[in-house]
Amino acid sequence: MRVQQRPAGWARRRREAASRRGESGMTAIEFVLLTPVLFFLIFATVQFALYFFADHVAQAAAQAGARKARQEADADPGGWRAKARETSGSYIRQLGPELILDPDVKLLGPRDNTVGVEIRARVPSVFPGLDMDVYAISQGPMERFVPDGGG
């Protein structure tokens, strides 16, 4: 099978036609103008992916800490706080140690038989000067065993 080739003078004629029309440098100019926009879009995508992943990590850590607090608050009134804080910290260390910066874990309750965990943290920034924080809270009623009154 034979591939048909274009004549050698084709490229030269094309260049000459483009230069007659005044479009000889347009590709380079378009590239220079569009490259910063493309880089901004790429970095913005990365930044918001970091933010949403950090938000999910914070929410998972708050939910895990709240589950532990709900389980332990009635049975161990003096030690549930340390256990809930450790559970939240463990989730952060496992899922996003470099993604959740300076986590502030606060324990809520017990108030009205409700306990919970609140987490605030910073997210690393791809853009200089952009400070983003995540906030997650999870709370629920304390679990307790209540014997049947019988009857």
Side-chain angles (χ1 to χ4, degrees):
M1 176 186 270
R2 185 160 188 217
V3 177
Q4 191 176 28
Q5 295 181 351
R6 294 183 180 188
W10 177 81
R12 185 174 357 106
R13 284 192 307 271
R14 180 106 170 127
R15 247 191 331 265
E16 289 171 359
S19 99
R20 280 193 302 267
R21 289 190 308 252
E23 298 176 7
S24 61
M26 287 306 292
T27 303
I29 292 171
E30 289 171 355
F31 180 74
V32 167
L33 293 175
L34 291 178
T35 300
V37 174
L38 291 174
F39 278 122
F40 174 78
L41 291 174
I42 290 168
F43 285 121
T45 302
V46 170
Q47 179 65 61
F48 285 105
L50 285 172
Y51 174 79
F52 285 114
F53 185 61
D55 187 53
H56 285 286
V57 169
Q59 190 64 39
Q63 289 172 351
R67 273 193 303 273
K68 181 57 90 173
R70 290 178 60 207
Q71 291 170 357
E72 302 289 334
D74 188 54
D76 187 8
W80 70 272
R81 292 179 182 278
K83 292 176 185 177
R85 187 179 305 276
E86 174 55 34
T87 302
S88 294
S90 173
Y91 262 70
I92 291 172
R93 285 190 300 276
Q94 289 174 15
L95 297 175
E98 301 296 323
L99 190 60
I100 302 284
L101 305 176
D102 304 326
D104 180 25
V105 179
K106 292 184 181 176
L107 301 165
L108 308 173
R111 185 178 53 193
D112 299 327
N113 292 324
T114 301
V115 292
V117 175
E118 176 183 273
I119 297 177
R120 291 181 189 272
R122 290 185 311 110
V123 177
S125 179
V126 175
F127 296 108
L130 179 65
D131 294 324
M132 299 178 85
D133 297 331
V134 291
Y135 172 77
I137 186 170
S138 182
Q139 56 188 358
M142 292 189 305
E143 296 179 5
R144 64 176 61 168
F145 175 71
V146 179
D148 187 17

